[in-house]
Amino acid sequence: MAAVSAGTLLFRRTAGLEVLLVHPGGPFWKNKSDGVWSIPKGEFDPTTENPEAAARREFAEELGHDVPAGPMIDLGDVTQKAGKRVVGFAIEGDLDPASIVSNTFTIEWPPRSGREAEFPEVDRAEWFTIEDARTVINSAQATFLDRLVEALD
C-alpha cells in the first residue's frame, strides 16, 4: 500500500494571493528548485490518525510553528508520481519564513562513507504568488493551488 501524507497550505492575501511552500532539506535537493517545493506535509496512518490532525502536526514539526487557529479548507487529495497520496488542507495566516525551525533526519553522507550526517527536513520556506508557485511546486500538488483559488472565489 502506498504511503499517505497530510499537509497544510498556508495562504495570505497581500496585493494578491500568496502561498507558503517549503523546500526539502538534505544534500539531494540542495541545488534543485522547480518541481521540488511542497506544502509542509508528512506521512500518517489513516487507520489511527485524522488527516487534519496529521496536517497540523506535520506543519508544526516542519516549520516550528503551529497552524493558525480556525477552520481549515479541505483541498482533497492528490497522488504524486511515485504513488504517494497527499491529503491537503488550507488555512489563512502569516508566518515569517526566516523564523522556521525544522525537525531533522539522519542519513549516511557522503554515500558509502560510513559517516552519518543530520539535515533539516525543510531547509527553507518562502511565500509565492499562485503563478510562481505553479513553477516550483511538485506537479501533482499544483492541483491544491487550483482548489484553493476555487474555494476562495
Side-chain angles (χ1 to χ4, degrees):
M1 183 166 139
V4 181
S5 288
T8 303
L9 180 59
L10 189 67
F11 69 92
R12 67 182 182 185
R13 302 168 210 240
T14 54
L17 182 62
E18 294 181 316
V19 293
L20 186 76
L21 300 178
V22 297
H23 186 270
F28 180 74
W29 305 107
K30 185 177 180 183
N31 297 315
K32 295 177 174 67
S33 183
D34 289 358
V36 303
W37 290 74
S38 173
I39 66 173
K41 64 171 178 35
E43 291 184 11
F44 75 104
D45 181 346
T47 64
T48 61
E49 189 174 15
N50 171 287
E52 184 177 323
R56 289 177 180 275
R57 173 181 48 78
E58 288 294 332
F59 186 95
E61 286 179 6
E62 292 194 351
L63 299 177
H65 295 273
D66 289 334
V67 172
M72 296 179 82
I73 300 167
D74 185 345
L75 298 176
D77 64 273
V78 298
T79 301
Q80 298 184 158
K81 285 181 186 175
K84 178 184 279 189
R85 187 169 65 95
V86 180
V87 181
F89 298 89
I91 193 161
E92 189 166 8
D94 202 358
L95 186 147
D96 177 3
S99 71
I100 72 162
V101 179
S102 179
N103 55 344
T104 60
F105 66 96
T106 303
I107 60 169
E108 181 181 13
W109 192 258
R112 297 176 297 286
S113 67
R115 291 180 284 170
E116 290 194 340
E118 188 174 66
F119 298 96
E121 197 166 324
V122 165
D123 63 12
R124 64 190 184 273
E126 197 172 309
W127 288 102
F128 293 92
T129 64
I130 293 292
E131 296 77 28
D132 290 342
R134 286 183 201 289
T135 301
V136 299
I137 198 168
N138 175 292
S139 60
Q141 292 181 34
T143 300
F144 291 144
L145 304 174
D146 299 333
R147 291 176 184 165
L148 173 63
V149 169
E150 185 178 308
L152 296 177
D153 279 347

PDB file of all heavy atoms in Angstrom, residues 22-26 39-43 54-65 99-106 117-124:
ATOM      1  N   VAL A  22       7.496  24.933   1.115  1.00  0.00           N
ATOM      2  CA  VAL A  22       8.755  24.565   1.742  1.00  0.00           C
ATOM      3  C   VAL A  22       9.636  23.813   0.758  1.00  0.00           C
ATOM      4  O   VAL A  22       9.159  23.112  -0.131  1.00  0.00           O
ATOM      5  CB  VAL A  22       8.528  23.727   3.019  1.00  0.00           C
ATOM      6  CG1 VAL A  22       7.784  24.542   4.067  1.00  0.00           C
ATOM      7  CG2 VAL A  22       7.795  22.427   2.728  1.00  0.00           C
ATOM      8  N   HIS A  23      10.942  23.969   0.952  1.00  0.00           N
ATOM      9  CA  HIS A  23      11.940  23.286   0.131  1.00  0.00           C
ATOM     10  C   HIS A  23      12.520  22.149   0.967  1.00  0.00           C
ATOM     11  O   HIS A  23      12.911  22.362   2.123  1.00  0.00           O
ATOM     12  CB  HIS A  23      13.041  24.273  -0.274  1.00  0.00           C
ATOM     13  CG  HIS A  23      14.023  23.692  -1.222  1.00  0.00           C
ATOM     14  ND1 HIS A  23      15.164  23.042  -0.802  1.00  0.00           N
ATOM     15  CD2 HIS A  23      14.037  23.647  -2.579  1.00  0.00           C
ATOM     16  CE1 HIS A  23      15.840  22.635  -1.861  1.00  0.00           C
ATOM     17  NE2 HIS A  23      15.190  22.989  -2.953  1.00  0.00           N
ATOM     18  N   PRO A  24      12.596  20.931   0.403  1.00  0.00           N
ATOM     19  CA  PRO A  24      13.117  19.812   1.189  1.00  0.00           C
ATOM     20  C   PRO A  24      14.599  19.993   1.514  1.00  0.00           C
ATOM     21  O   PRO A  24      15.379  20.452   0.678  1.00  0.00           O
ATOM     22  CB  PRO A  24      12.884  18.593   0.288  1.00  0.00           C
ATOM     23  CG  PRO A  24      12.764  19.145  -1.090  1.00  0.00           C
ATOM     24  CD  PRO A  24      12.218  20.535  -0.951  1.00  0.00           C
ATOM     25  N   GLY A  25      14.960  19.604   2.733  1.00  0.00           N
ATOM     26  CA  GLY A  25      16.352  19.682   3.151  1.00  0.00           C
ATOM     27  C   GLY A  25      17.130  18.458   2.707  1.00  0.00           C
ATOM     28  O   GLY A  25      16.575  17.503   2.163  1.00  0.00           O
ATOM     29  N   GLY A  26      18.407  18.502   2.938  1.00  0.00           N
ATOM     30  CA  GLY A  26      19.261  17.373   2.607  1.00  0.00           C
ATOM     31  C   GLY A  26      20.044  17.615   1.340  1.00  0.00           C
ATOM     32  O   GLY A  26      19.678  18.456   0.508  1.00  0.00           O
ATOM     33  N   ILE A  39       3.889  21.651  -0.111  1.00  0.00           N
ATOM     34  CA  ILE A  39       3.219  22.117   1.090  1.00  0.00           C
ATOM     35  C   ILE A  39       3.892  21.393   2.255  1.00  0.00           C
ATOM     36  O   ILE A  39       4.412  20.283   2.077  1.00  0.00           O
ATOM     37  CB  ILE A  39       1.688  21.856   1.061  1.00  0.00           C
ATOM     38  CG1 ILE A  39       1.377  20.361   1.094  1.00  0.00           C
ATOM     39  CG2 ILE A  39       1.058  22.523  -0.152  1.00  0.00           C
ATOM     40  CD1 ILE A  39      -0.123  20.050   1.233  1.00  0.00           C
ATOM     41  N   PRO A  40       3.954  21.986   3.445  1.00  0.00           N
ATOM     42  CA  PRO A  40       4.504  21.250   4.588  1.00  0.00           C
ATOM     43  C   PRO A  40       3.624  20.029   4.847  1.00  0.00           C
ATOM     44  O   PRO A  40       2.416  20.160   5.043  1.00  0.00           O
ATOM     45  CB  PRO A  40       4.417  22.253   5.738  1.00  0.00           C
ATOM     46  CG  PRO A  40       4.238  23.585   5.094  1.00  0.00           C
ATOM     47  CD  PRO A  40       3.555  23.341   3.789  1.00  0.00           C
ATOM     48  N   LYS A  41       4.216  18.845   4.809  1.00  0.00           N
ATOM     49  CA  LYS A  41       3.422  17.615   4.901  1.00  0.00           C
ATOM     50  C   LYS A  41       4.253  16.487   5.465  1.00  0.00           C
ATOM     51  O   LYS A  41       5.476  16.576   5.530  1.00  0.00           O
ATOM     52  CB  LYS A  41       2.893  17.218   3.533  1.00  0.00           C
ATOM     53  CG  LYS A  41       4.012  16.875   2.556  1.00  0.00           C
ATOM     54  CD  LYS A  41       3.523  16.278   1.278  1.00  0.00           C
ATOM     55  CE  LYS A  41       4.628  15.976   0.300  1.00  0.00           C
ATOM     56  NZ  LYS A  41       5.900  15.523   0.839  1.00  0.00           N
ATOM     57  N   GLY A  42       3.574  15.420   5.832  1.00  0.00           N
ATOM     58  CA  GLY A  42       4.277  14.245   6.304  1.00  0.00           C
ATOM     59  C   GLY A  42       3.350  13.058   6.377  1.00  0.00           C
ATOM     60  O   GLY A  42       2.116  13.200   6.331  1.00  0.00           O
ATOM     61  N   GLU A  43       3.944  11.896   6.483  1.00  0.00           N
ATOM     62  CA  GLU A  43       3.170  10.649   6.495  1.00  0.00           C
ATOM     63  C   GLU A  43       2.383  10.478   7.784  1.00  0.00           C
ATOM     64  O   GLU A  43       2.775  10.973   8.840  1.00  0.00           O
ATOM     65  CB  GLU A  43       4.104   9.458   6.282  1.00  0.00           C
ATOM     66  CG  GLU A  43       4.683   9.416   4.891  1.00  0.00           C
ATOM     67  CD  GLU A  43       5.530   8.188   4.627  1.00  0.00           C
ATOM     68  OE1 GLU A  43       5.524   7.239   5.442  1.00  0.00           O
ATOM     69  OE2 GLU A  43       6.203   8.179   3.581  1.00  0.00           O
ATOM     70  N   ALA A  54      -3.118  15.242  11.450  1.00  0.00           N
ATOM     71  CA  ALA A  54      -1.791  14.927  10.922  1.00  0.00           C
ATOM     72  C   ALA A  54      -1.209  16.132  10.188  1.00  0.00           C
ATOM     73  O   ALA A  54      -0.015  16.442  10.331  1.00  0.00           O
ATOM     74  CB  ALA A  54      -1.869  13.725   9.992  1.00  0.00           C
ATOM     75  N   ALA A  55      -2.029  16.824   9.415  1.00  0.00           N
ATOM     76  CA  ALA A  55      -1.560  18.003   8.684  1.00  0.00           C
ATOM     77  C   ALA A  55      -1.084  19.088   9.654  1.00  0.00           C
ATOM     78  O   ALA A  55      -0.039  19.716   9.435  1.00  0.00           O
ATOM     79  CB  ALA A  55      -2.671  18.540   7.783  1.00  0.00           C
ATOM     80  N   ARG A  56      -1.837  19.283  10.733  1.00  0.00           N
ATOM     81  CA  ARG A  56      -1.450  20.274  11.748  1.00  0.00           C
ATOM     82  C   ARG A  56      -0.142  19.865  12.435  1.00  0.00           C
ATOM     83  O   ARG A  56       0.741  20.694  12.663  1.00  0.00           O
ATOM     84  CB  ARG A  56      -2.561  20.464  12.764  1.00  0.00           C
ATOM     85  CG  ARG A  56      -3.777  21.203  12.206  1.00  0.00           C
ATOM     86  CD  ARG A  56      -4.902  21.303  13.258  1.00  0.00           C
ATOM     87  NE  ARG A  56      -6.055  21.996  12.732  1.00  0.00           N
ATOM     88  CZ  ARG A  56      -6.216  23.327  12.724  1.00  0.00           C
ATOM     89  NH1 ARG A  56      -5.281  24.096  13.225  1.00  0.00           N
ATOM     90  NH2 ARG A  56      -7.307  23.866  12.225  1.00  0.00           N
ATOM     91  N   ARG A  57      -0.012  18.597  12.762  1.00  0.00           N
ATOM     92  CA  ARG A  57       1.193  18.083  13.424  1.00  0.00           C
ATOM     93  C   ARG A  57       2.417  18.263  12.531  1.00  0.00           C
ATOM     94  O   ARG A  57       3.468  18.738  12.976  1.00  0.00           O
ATOM     95  CB  ARG A  57       1.010  16.607  13.796  1.00  0.00           C
ATOM     96  CG  ARG A  57       2.275  15.940  14.329  1.00  0.00           C
ATOM     97  CD  ARG A  57       2.061  14.472  14.674  1.00  0.00           C
ATOM     98  NE  ARG A  57       1.386  13.675  13.667  1.00  0.00           N
ATOM     99  CZ  ARG A  57       1.944  13.187  12.568  1.00  0.00           C
ATOM    100  NH1 ARG A  57       3.216  13.443  12.293  1.00  0.00           N
ATOM    101  NH2 ARG A  57       1.257  12.435  11.717  1.00  0.00           N
ATOM    102  N   GLU A  58       2.281  17.876  11.270  1.00  0.00           N
ATOM    103  CA  GLU A  58       3.407  17.966  10.342  1.00  0.00           C
ATOM    104  C   GLU A  58       3.836  19.414  10.097  1.00  0.00           C
ATOM    105  O   GLU A  58       5.020  19.695   9.966  1.00  0.00           O
ATOM    106  CB  GLU A  58       3.076  17.263   9.028  1.00  0.00           C
ATOM    107  CG  GLU A  58       3.042  15.761   9.155  1.00  0.00           C
ATOM    108  CD  GLU A  58       4.400  15.146   9.477  1.00  0.00           C
ATOM    109  OE1 GLU A  58       5.446  15.738   9.114  1.00  0.00           O
ATOM    110  OE2 GLU A  58       4.418  14.069  10.093  1.00  0.00           O
ATOM    111  N   PHE A  59       2.884  20.327  10.026  1.00  0.00           N
ATOM    112  CA  PHE A  59       3.194  21.748   9.858  1.00  0.00           C
ATOM    113  C   PHE A  59       4.086  22.203  11.016  1.00  0.00           C
ATOM    114  O   PHE A  59       5.128  22.839  10.803  1.00  0.00           O
ATOM    115  CB  PHE A  59       1.887  22.553   9.823  1.00  0.00           C
ATOM    116  CG  PHE A  59       2.043  24.021   9.507  1.00  0.00           C
ATOM    117  CD1 PHE A  59       1.904  24.472   8.211  1.00  0.00           C
ATOM    118  CD2 PHE A  59       2.302  24.948  10.507  1.00  0.00           C
ATOM    119  CE1 PHE A  59       2.025  25.832   7.913  1.00  0.00           C
ATOM    120  CE2 PHE A  59       2.431  26.299  10.229  1.00  0.00           C
ATOM    121  CZ  PHE A  59       2.288  26.746   8.923  1.00  0.00           C
ATOM    122  N   ALA A  60       3.676  21.850  12.241  1.00  0.00           N
ATOM    123  CA  ALA A  60       4.446  22.244  13.427  1.00  0.00           C
ATOM    124  C   ALA A  60       5.839  21.610  13.422  1.00  0.00           C
ATOM    125  O   ALA A  60       6.827  22.265  13.762  1.00  0.00           O
ATOM    126  CB  ALA A  60       3.685  21.868  14.693  1.00  0.00           C
ATOM    127  N   GLU A  61       5.935  20.346  13.025  1.00  0.00           N
ATOM    128  CA  GLU A  61       7.230  19.667  13.004  1.00  0.00           C
ATOM    129  C   GLU A  61       8.168  20.270  11.958  1.00  0.00           C
ATOM    130  O   GLU A  61       9.358  20.420  12.209  1.00  0.00           O
ATOM    131  CB  GLU A  61       7.048  18.175  12.709  1.00  0.00           C
ATOM    132  CG  GLU A  61       6.482  17.386  13.863  1.00  0.00           C
ATOM    133  CD  GLU A  61       6.290  15.913  13.542  1.00  0.00           C
ATOM    134  OE1 GLU A  61       6.703  15.465  12.440  1.00  0.00           O
ATOM    135  OE2 GLU A  61       5.715  15.205  14.387  1.00  0.00           O
ATOM    136  N   GLU A  62       7.641  20.581  10.791  1.00  0.00           N
ATOM    137  CA  GLU A  62       8.498  21.064   9.707  1.00  0.00           C
ATOM    138  C   GLU A  62       8.815  22.551   9.778  1.00  0.00           C
ATOM    139  O   GLU A  62       9.827  22.988   9.237  1.00  0.00           O
ATOM    140  CB  GLU A  62       7.876  20.727   8.354  1.00  0.00           C
ATOM    141  CG  GLU A  62       7.863  19.240   8.091  1.00  0.00           C
ATOM    142  CD  GLU A  62       7.567  18.869   6.651  1.00  0.00           C
ATOM    143  OE1 GLU A  62       7.191  19.757   5.860  1.00  0.00           O
ATOM    144  OE2 GLU A  62       7.713  17.685   6.315  1.00  0.00           O
ATOM    145  N   LEU A  63       7.941  23.331  10.435  1.00  0.00           N
ATOM    146  CA  LEU A  63       8.160  24.777  10.476  1.00  0.00           C
ATOM    147  C   LEU A  63       8.446  25.331  11.866  1.00  0.00           C
ATOM    148  O   LEU A  63       8.878  26.476  11.998  1.00  0.00           O
ATOM    149  CB  LEU A  63       6.954  25.507   9.869  1.00  0.00           C
ATOM    150  CG  LEU A  63       6.664  25.168   8.406  1.00  0.00           C
ATOM    151  CD1 LEU A  63       5.427  25.889   7.929  1.00  0.00           C
ATOM    152  CD2 LEU A  63       7.848  25.494   7.527  1.00  0.00           C
ATOM    153  N   GLY A  64       8.152  24.541  12.903  1.00  0.00           N
ATOM    154  CA  GLY A  64       8.358  25.034  14.258  1.00  0.00           C
ATOM    155  C   GLY A  64       7.300  26.026  14.695  1.00  0.00           C
ATOM    156  O   GLY A  64       7.493  26.758  15.659  1.00  0.00           O
ATOM    157  N   HIS A  65       6.174  26.078  14.004  1.00  0.00           N
ATOM    158  CA  HIS A  65       5.055  26.964  14.323  1.00  0.00           C
ATOM    159  C   HIS A  65       3.765  26.162  14.232  1.00  0.00           C
ATOM    160  O   HIS A  65       3.630  25.301  13.361  1.00  0.00           O
ATOM    161  CB  HIS A  65       4.956  28.124  13.314  1.00  0.00           C
ATOM    162  CG  HIS A  65       6.114  29.061  13.349  1.00  0.00           C
ATOM    163  ND1 HIS A  65       6.173  30.128  14.194  1.00  0.00           N
ATOM    164  CD2 HIS A  65       7.278  29.073  12.630  1.00  0.00           C
ATOM    165  CE1 HIS A  65       7.313  30.784  13.997  1.00  0.00           C
ATOM    166  NE2 HIS A  65       8.003  30.154  13.054  1.00  0.00           N
ATOM    167  N   SER A  99      11.789  32.592  10.293  1.00  0.00           N
ATOM    168  CA  SER A  99      11.623  32.100  11.668  1.00  0.00           C
ATOM    169  C   SER A  99      11.392  30.591  11.763  1.00  0.00           C
ATOM    170  O   SER A  99      11.212  30.067  12.855  1.00  0.00           O
ATOM    171  CB  SER A  99      10.447  32.832  12.339  1.00  0.00           C
ATOM    172  OG  SER A  99       9.213  32.392  11.774  1.00  0.00           O
ATOM    173  N   ILE A 100      11.425  29.881  10.636  1.00  0.00           N
ATOM    174  CA  ILE A 100      11.129  28.447  10.705  1.00  0.00           C
ATOM    175  C   ILE A 100      12.282  27.669  11.346  1.00  0.00           C
ATOM    176  O   ILE A 100      13.448  28.036  11.218  1.00  0.00           O
ATOM    177  CB  ILE A 100      10.771  27.828   9.332  1.00  0.00           C
ATOM    178  CG1 ILE A 100      11.993  27.708   8.431  1.00  0.00           C
ATOM    179  CG2 ILE A 100       9.642  28.589   8.664  1.00  0.00           C
ATOM    180  CD1 ILE A 100      11.826  26.740   7.284  1.00  0.00           C
ATOM    181  N   VAL A 101      11.899  26.626  12.074  1.00  0.00           N
ATOM    182  CA  VAL A 101      12.849  25.707  12.687  1.00  0.00           C
ATOM    183  C   VAL A 101      12.319  24.309  12.406  1.00  0.00           C
ATOM    184  O   VAL A 101      11.298  23.906  12.957  1.00  0.00           O
ATOM    185  CB  VAL A 101      12.971  25.942  14.204  1.00  0.00           C
ATOM    186  CG1 VAL A 101      13.945  24.943  14.816  1.00  0.00           C
ATOM    187  CG2 VAL A 101      13.393  27.371  14.503  1.00  0.00           C
ATOM    188  N   SER A 102      12.997  23.572  11.540  1.00  0.00           N
ATOM    189  CA  SER A 102      12.525  22.266  11.102  1.00  0.00           C
ATOM    190  C   SER A 102      13.086  21.145  11.968  1.00  0.00           C
ATOM    191  O   SER A 102      14.183  21.250  12.522  1.00  0.00           O
ATOM    192  CB  SER A 102      12.943  22.036   9.647  1.00  0.00           C
ATOM    193  OG  SER A 102      12.516  20.767   9.198  1.00  0.00           O
ATOM    194  N   ASN A 103      12.324  20.054  12.012  1.00  0.00           N
ATOM    195  CA  ASN A 103      12.862  18.830  12.579  1.00  0.00           C
ATOM    196  C   ASN A 103      13.966  18.332  11.644  1.00  0.00           C
ATOM    197  O   ASN A 103      14.156  18.862  10.550  1.00  0.00           O
ATOM    198  CB  ASN A 103      11.761  17.786  12.793  1.00  0.00           C
ATOM    199  CG  ASN A 103      10.971  17.483  11.541  1.00  0.00           C
ATOM    200  OD1 ASN A 103      10.994  18.219  10.560  1.00  0.00           O
ATOM    201  ND2 ASN A 103      10.259  16.388  11.547  1.00  0.00           N
ATOM    202  N   THR A 104      14.717  17.309  12.053  1.00  0.00           N
ATOM    203  CA  THR A 104      15.849  16.845  11.267  1.00  0.00           C
ATOM    204  C   THR A 104      15.761  15.346  10.990  1.00  0.00           C
ATOM    205  O   THR A 104      14.964  14.639  11.609  1.00  0.00           O
ATOM    206  CB  THR A 104      17.178  17.144  11.990  1.00  0.00           C
ATOM    207  OG1 THR A 104      17.174  16.465  13.245  1.00  0.00           O
ATOM    208  CG2 THR A 104      17.376  18.632  12.194  1.00  0.00           C
ATOM    209  N   PHE A 105      16.598  14.886  10.075  1.00  0.00           N
ATOM    210  CA  PHE A 105      16.732  13.460   9.799  1.00  0.00           C
ATOM    211  C   PHE A 105      18.222  13.159   9.632  1.00  0.00           C
ATOM    212  O   PHE A 105      19.030  14.057   9.359  1.00  0.00           O
ATOM    213  CB  PHE A 105      15.936  13.039   8.554  1.00  0.00           C
ATOM    214  CG  PHE A 105      16.433  13.635   7.265  1.00  0.00           C
ATOM    215  CD1 PHE A 105      17.295  12.926   6.445  1.00  0.00           C
ATOM    216  CD2 PHE A 105      16.026  14.903   6.858  1.00  0.00           C
ATOM    217  CE1 PHE A 105      17.760  13.470   5.247  1.00  0.00           C
ATOM    218  CE2 PHE A 105      16.484  15.454   5.671  1.00  0.00           C
ATOM    219  CZ  PHE A 105      17.352  14.728   4.858  1.00  0.00           C
ATOM    220  N   THR A 106      18.575  11.905   9.804  1.00  0.00           N
ATOM    221  CA  THR A 106      19.964  11.485   9.706  1.00  0.00           C
ATOM    222  C   THR A 106      20.107  10.468   8.576  1.00  0.00           C
ATOM    223  O   THR A 106      19.284   9.557   8.449  1.00  0.00           O
ATOM    224  CB  THR A 106      20.427  10.841  11.033  1.00  0.00           C
ATOM    225  OG1 THR A 106      20.231  11.789  12.089  1.00  0.00           O
ATOM    226  CG2 THR A 106      21.886  10.442  10.975  1.00  0.00           C
ATOM    227  N   ALA A 117      25.200  12.031   8.789  1.00  0.00           N
ATOM    228  CA  ALA A 117      25.046  13.486   8.876  1.00  0.00           C
ATOM    229  C   ALA A 117      23.581  13.797   9.124  1.00  0.00           C
ATOM    230  O   ALA A 117      22.698  13.072   8.679  1.00  0.00           O
ATOM    231  CB  ALA A 117      25.536  14.148   7.595  1.00  0.00           C
ATOM    232  N   GLU A 118      23.352  14.890   9.825  1.00  0.00           N
ATOM    233  CA  GLU A 118      21.988  15.305  10.146  1.00  0.00           C
ATOM    234  C   GLU A 118      21.624  16.516   9.287  1.00  0.00           C
ATOM    235  O   GLU A 118      22.441  17.425   9.104  1.00  0.00           O
ATOM    236  CB  GLU A 118      21.903  15.662  11.636  1.00  0.00           C
ATOM    237  CG  GLU A 118      20.504  15.923  12.125  1.00  0.00           C
ATOM    238  CD  GLU A 118      20.467  16.115  13.623  1.00  0.00           C
ATOM    239  OE1 GLU A 118      21.037  17.118  14.103  1.00  0.00           O
ATOM    240  OE2 GLU A 118      19.882  15.268  14.304  1.00  0.00           O
ATOM    241  N   PHE A 119      20.399  16.491   8.750  1.00  0.00           N
ATOM    242  CA  PHE A 119      19.919  17.571   7.895  1.00  0.00           C
ATOM    243  C   PHE A 119      18.510  17.973   8.332  1.00  0.00           C
ATOM    244  O   PHE A 119      17.751  17.139   8.822  1.00  0.00           O
ATOM    245  CB  PHE A 119      19.863  17.119   6.425  1.00  0.00           C
ATOM    246  CG  PHE A 119      21.198  16.732   5.869  1.00  0.00           C
ATOM    247  CD1 PHE A 119      21.602  15.401   5.850  1.00  0.00           C
ATOM    248  CD2 PHE A 119      22.056  17.695   5.358  1.00  0.00           C
ATOM    249  CE1 PHE A 119      22.837  15.038   5.333  1.00  0.00           C
ATOM    250  CE2 PHE A 119      23.291  17.330   4.840  1.00  0.00           C
ATOM    251  CZ  PHE A 119      23.690  16.009   4.829  1.00  0.00           C
ATOM    252  N   PRO A 120      18.128  19.242   8.095  1.00  0.00           N
ATOM    253  CA  PRO A 120      16.746  19.632   8.369  1.00  0.00           C
ATOM    254  C   PRO A 120      15.807  19.006   7.338  1.00  0.00           C
ATOM    255  O   PRO A 120      16.181  18.856   6.168  1.00  0.00           O
ATOM    256  CB  PRO A 120      16.769  21.161   8.232  1.00  0.00           C
ATOM    257  CG  PRO A 120      17.915  21.431   7.310  1.00  0.00           C
ATOM    258  CD  PRO A 120      18.931  20.340   7.564  1.00  0.00           C
ATOM    259  N   GLU A 121      14.624  18.617   7.784  1.00  0.00           N
ATOM    260  CA  GLU A 121      13.657  18.062   6.840  1.00  0.00           C
ATOM    261  C   GLU A 121      13.242  19.122   5.821  1.00  0.00           C
ATOM    262  O   GLU A 121      12.991  18.827   4.664  1.00  0.00           O
ATOM    263  CB  GLU A 121      12.437  17.532   7.599  1.00  0.00           C
ATOM    264  CG  GLU A 121      11.593  16.605   6.775  1.00  0.00           C
ATOM    265  CD  GLU A 121      10.599  15.816   7.596  1.00  0.00           C
ATOM    266  OE1 GLU A 121      10.918  15.436   8.724  1.00  0.00           O
ATOM    267  OE2 GLU A 121       9.495  15.600   7.077  1.00  0.00           O
ATOM    268  N   VAL A 122      13.183  20.371   6.276  1.00  0.00           N
ATOM    269  CA  VAL A 122      12.871  21.526   5.426  1.00  0.00           C
ATOM    270  C   VAL A 122      14.007  22.512   5.601  1.00  0.00           C
ATOM    271  O   VAL A 122      14.340  22.884   6.728  1.00  0.00           O
ATOM    272  CB  VAL A 122      11.532  22.172   5.858  1.00  0.00           C
ATOM    273  CG1 VAL A 122      11.359  23.553   5.255  1.00  0.00           C
ATOM    274  CG2 VAL A 122      10.362  21.271   5.517  1.00  0.00           C
ATOM    275  N   ASP A 123      14.641  22.928   4.497  1.00  0.00           N
ATOM    276  CA  ASP A 123      15.756  23.868   4.662  1.00  0.00           C
ATOM    277  C   ASP A 123      15.349  25.328   4.487  1.00  0.00           C
ATOM    278  O   ASP A 123      16.088  26.227   4.876  1.00  0.00           O
ATOM    279  CB  ASP A 123      16.950  23.504   3.781  1.00  0.00           C
ATOM    280  CG  ASP A 123      16.672  23.566   2.285  1.00  0.00           C
ATOM    281  OD1 ASP A 123      15.626  24.098   1.867  1.00  0.00           O
ATOM    282  OD2 ASP A 123      17.511  23.050   1.521  1.00  0.00           O
ATOM    283  N   ARG A 124      14.170  25.556   3.916  1.00  0.00           N
ATOM    284  CA  ARG A 124      13.673  26.928   3.828  1.00  0.00           C
ATOM    285  C   ARG A 124      12.209  26.934   3.432  1.00  0.00           C
ATOM    286  O   ARG A 124      11.695  25.967   2.880  1.00  0.00           O
ATOM    287  CB  ARG A 124      14.499  27.776   2.868  1.00  0.00           C
ATOM    288  CG  ARG A 124      14.483  27.349   1.415  1.00  0.00           C
ATOM    289  CD  ARG A 124      15.544  28.134   0.635  1.00  0.00           C
ATOM    290  NE  ARG A 124      15.542  27.855  -0.770  1.00  0.00           N
ATOM    291  CZ  ARG A 124      16.209  26.863  -1.355  1.00  0.00           C
ATOM    292  NH1 ARG A 124      16.916  26.022  -0.635  1.00  0.00           N
ATOM    293  NH2 ARG A 124      16.169  26.700  -2.660  1.00  0.00           N
TER     294      ARG A 124
END
